[in-house]
Amino acid sequence: MAPVCPPRGVYAPVVAFFHEDESLDIEALKVHVARLAKGGVAGLVIQGSNGEAPHLLHSERQQVISAARSILKEQGRDDAAIIAGCGAPSTRETIQLCLEAKEAGADYALVLSPSYWPQAMGQPVIKKFFTDVANASPIPILIYNFPGVTSGIDINSDTIVELAVASPDKIVGCKLTCGNLGKLHRVAHDKRIHTPFATFAGKSDFFLHGLVGGSNGVIAAAANLVPKVHVRLLELYDAGKLAEAQELQTYLSEADWVLVGLGVAGLKAAIDRYYSYGGGRSRRPLGFVQAGAFEGERDIILKRIVDIENAL
């Protein structure tokens, strides 16, 4: 049985791999999950933003979660948590996704705020949405705050804390991809929260900064490329080796910036370039990233962080 909230550590928001006809490439997924498991991640986020959740059918979502759970078991990583992205425009569909995620083997649900009608999504509406989902979900949920994919909707710290207090053991954490470290610090240290609650930094770019602020670890796209580097940074911070952690954070931040510029398909193309599986293909309308995208300075920056990864 999974802990009440996700354990502290590094979580990789697993990318979705596709064949040329845009069908799921489950074999590439299996290779990828096995590498992440061996890399020491605390868990996986399936169908996050980098997992192209909006492009997948409900049945495909379950297929990916089930495959990931099977590979973790094969790798002797029954301890690794699976957090499934379950956001949808309606409360009803979000609850359905939570039910299906549980059936497929997920331990927690990661839920975006609804955003199709952003002007109607004030903080009271958002609070009711998360409360209704949490009460109906068979697995605990984490609030996913990512204004970049929710029409600019930004859930404030008061709303997050009030939801955590009102739904103990049901709303058990948050992922803050908004990059607001003040918000992260406030939530992580709010004395009104008396039950386990995991506040996660949402990008490699501010991993170390988040740890200083009280983050429970990180859920970071770049962990798909270099999971061991992320685990090592956490170890350095915990050991009080701040200068070494800062140096590693610098390399991570530079690599993360390159990957942001390449987009979701570019992250997969990087995995293919440096680890020879997957390919840089997303479902349309997202594009295909060619090998030429890695020429020059981009290749230097990414190869440096991959070399560090391979030496660990």
Side-chain angles (χ1 to χ4, degrees):
M1 183 176 178
V4 172
C5 75
R8 185 170 179 267
V10 173
Y11 290 74
V14 178
V15 293
F17 296 102
F18 300 103
H19 295 293
E20 192 171 346
D21 65 357
E22 297 189 9
S23 61
L24 285 170
D25 186 347
I26 296 297
E27 292 309 308
L29 173 72
K30 290 179 179 179
V31 172
H32 187 53
V33 170
R35 186 170 72 86
L36 295 174
K38 293 172 185 175
V41 297
L44 308 174
V45 175
I46 308 291
Q47 280 109 49
S49 301
N50 281 278
E52 296 184 49
H55 291 171
L56 301 185
L57 303 173
H58 282 225
S59 59
E60 290 176 321
R61 289 176 180 236
Q62 287 191 296
Q63 185 181 3
V64 172
I65 294 168
S66 179
R69 176 57 75 197
S70 295
I71 296 302
L72 289 174
K73 187 172 183 178
E74 287 178 13
Q75 294 296 320
R77 291 297 312 277
D78 287 333
D79 62 304
I82 289 183
I83 305 171
C86 294
S90 72
T91 303
R92 181 184 178 88
E93 186 181 8
T94 302
I95 293 169
Q96 182 63 34
L97 287 169
C98 292
L99 291 165
E100 292 168 357
K102 167 68 172 177
E103 291 173 0
D107 302 299
Y108 310 93
L110 181 66
V111 180
L112 283 165
S113 62
S115 58
Y116 189 84
W117 289 281
Q119 297 305 316
M121 296 297 115
Q123 298 295 311
V125 175
I126 289 172
K127 284 176 68 175
K128 186 170 191 317
F129 166 79
F130 280 106
T131 300
D132 289 346
V133 171
N135 285 336
S137 173
I139 50 179
I141 73 169
L142 288 81
I143 298 165
Y144 187 7
N145 189 50
F146 190 3
V149 298
T150 55
S151 303
I153 293 172
D154 189 5
I155 308 172
N156 64 46
S157 57
D158 286 337
T159 296
I160 294 171
V161 171
E162 288 164 9
L163 282 165
V165 171
S167 299
D169 299 338
K170 293 181 178 181
I171 297 178
V172 298
C174 60
K175 179 192 178 190
L176 302 179
T177 309
C178 54
N180 187 329
L181 290 168
K183 180 188 298 183
L184 185 152
H185 192 106
R186 289 193 299 274
V187 173
H189 296 278
D190 197 295
K191 297 187 186 304
R192 290 172 289 176
I193 302 176
H194 298 295
T195 53
F197 190 85
T199 304
F200 284 102
K203 280 176 64 67
S204 302
D205 200 29
F206 49 90
F207 182 14
L208 178 59
H209 319 68
L211 292 173
V212 173
S215 174
N216 198 53
V218 70
I219 301 173
N224 281 283
L225 185 66
V226 286
K228 293 179 184 178
V229 171
H230 289 76
V231 173
R232 179 59 179 158
L233 192 151
L234 180 58
E235 291 171 346
L236 289 170
Y237 175 77
D238 286 347
K241 298 179 179 180
L242 189 57
E244 292 179 57
Q246 287 174 329
E247 181 181 21
L248 199 54
Q249 177 63 62
T250 298
Y251 297 148
L252 264 182
S253 292
E254 292 173 354
D256 194 56
W257 184 242
V258 170
L259 293 172
V260 167
L262 292 168
V264 174
L267 173 56
K268 289 184 279 189
I271 293 168
D272 186 31
R273 180 177 180 85
Y274 301 108
Y275 292 100
S276 303
Y277 66 87
R281 181 175 290 104
S282 290
R283 278 184 173 167
R284 292 169 293 175
L286 294 181
F288 179 81
V289 174
Q290 304 284 351
F294 297 93
E295 295 175 355
E297 186 69 16
R298 283 175 170 174
D299 184 53
I300 292 170
I301 291 171
L302 292 179
K303 190 173 186 308
R304 179 178 59 197
I305 202 75
V306 168
D307 287 345
I308 296 171
E309 172 81 6
N310 293 340
L312 291 172

